[in-house]
Amino acid sequence: MPADPLHRAGQPQRGMTNQPPSGSGASPIEVRRSTRRRRTVSAYREGDRTVVLIPARMSEAEERRWVTLMLDKLAAQESRRTLGDAELTGRAERLSAQYFDGRARPASVRWVTNQNTRWGSCTPAEGSIRLSHRLQGMPEYVVDYVLCHELAHLLVPGHGADFWRLLENYPRTERARGYLEGVVAAGRLPHVPGARDE
């Protein structure tokens, strides 16, 4: 196969990939391939886009896998920067505007430490939303899903068909639910003794 003149050695090959779904609110992703890069993969935010740096030799399947891994890693790093209650409220307002046409209007959104069996709760009559502190440090899309779940309760009480139809607006619902189910399942695993326990 002839060499591509646009991708000379040492010059990164740039390409847009994994465009976020329309209306998802996710930033565009730019993959930069480099012949100088042999094994390492890295990612960072650059303005309104995410840049993923990969070796030029990677296949498209490897590229997709690494892009997903790096997006999750960035999201987890960003989520570790704990949001305060005011920032959490602002985030809920943005999610309401994006996925619920601004109809879900919480009066308050805050972290709580007394929810150990729930990820979040909502009192529609008061317009209050509470998120479990256990969500802190989880990927951004997971926290956003729980916020959307509670915002949907401001519009539809209960978990009937109308509620789930409304929540389908958030595009990462299934992925976030799977993540949370994994966290719950991991919590049920038996303790494996370490070297110090033996």
Side-chain angles (χ1 to χ4, degrees), residues 6 27 30 46 54 60 77 102 110 118 126 155 162:
L6 296 176
S27 63
E30 180 179 332
E46 183 178 83
I54 64 171
E60 286 185 30
Q77 289 170 349
R110 61 191 174 94
R118 298 177 177 199
E126 298 172 5
L155 303 173
D162 290 342

Side-chain angles (χ1 to χ4, degrees), residues 104-117:
R105 295 188 181 120
S108 68
V109 183
R110 61 191 174 94
W111 296 107
V112 295
T113 57
N114 63 349
Q115 290 190 20
N116 294 316
T117 59

Side-chain angles (χ1 to χ4, degrees), residues 38-66:
R38 297 286 177 224
R39 290 181 298 218
T40 61
V41 176
S42 61
Y44 60 91
R45 305 285 189 208
E46 183 178 83
D48 68 341
R49 74 182 61 233
T50 301
V51 177
V52 181
L53 306 171
I54 64 171
R57 63 171 175 70
M58 276 193 180
S59 69
E60 286 185 30
E62 289 174 310
E63 175 183 316
R64 283 191 301 273
R65 184 176 73 83
W66 276 104

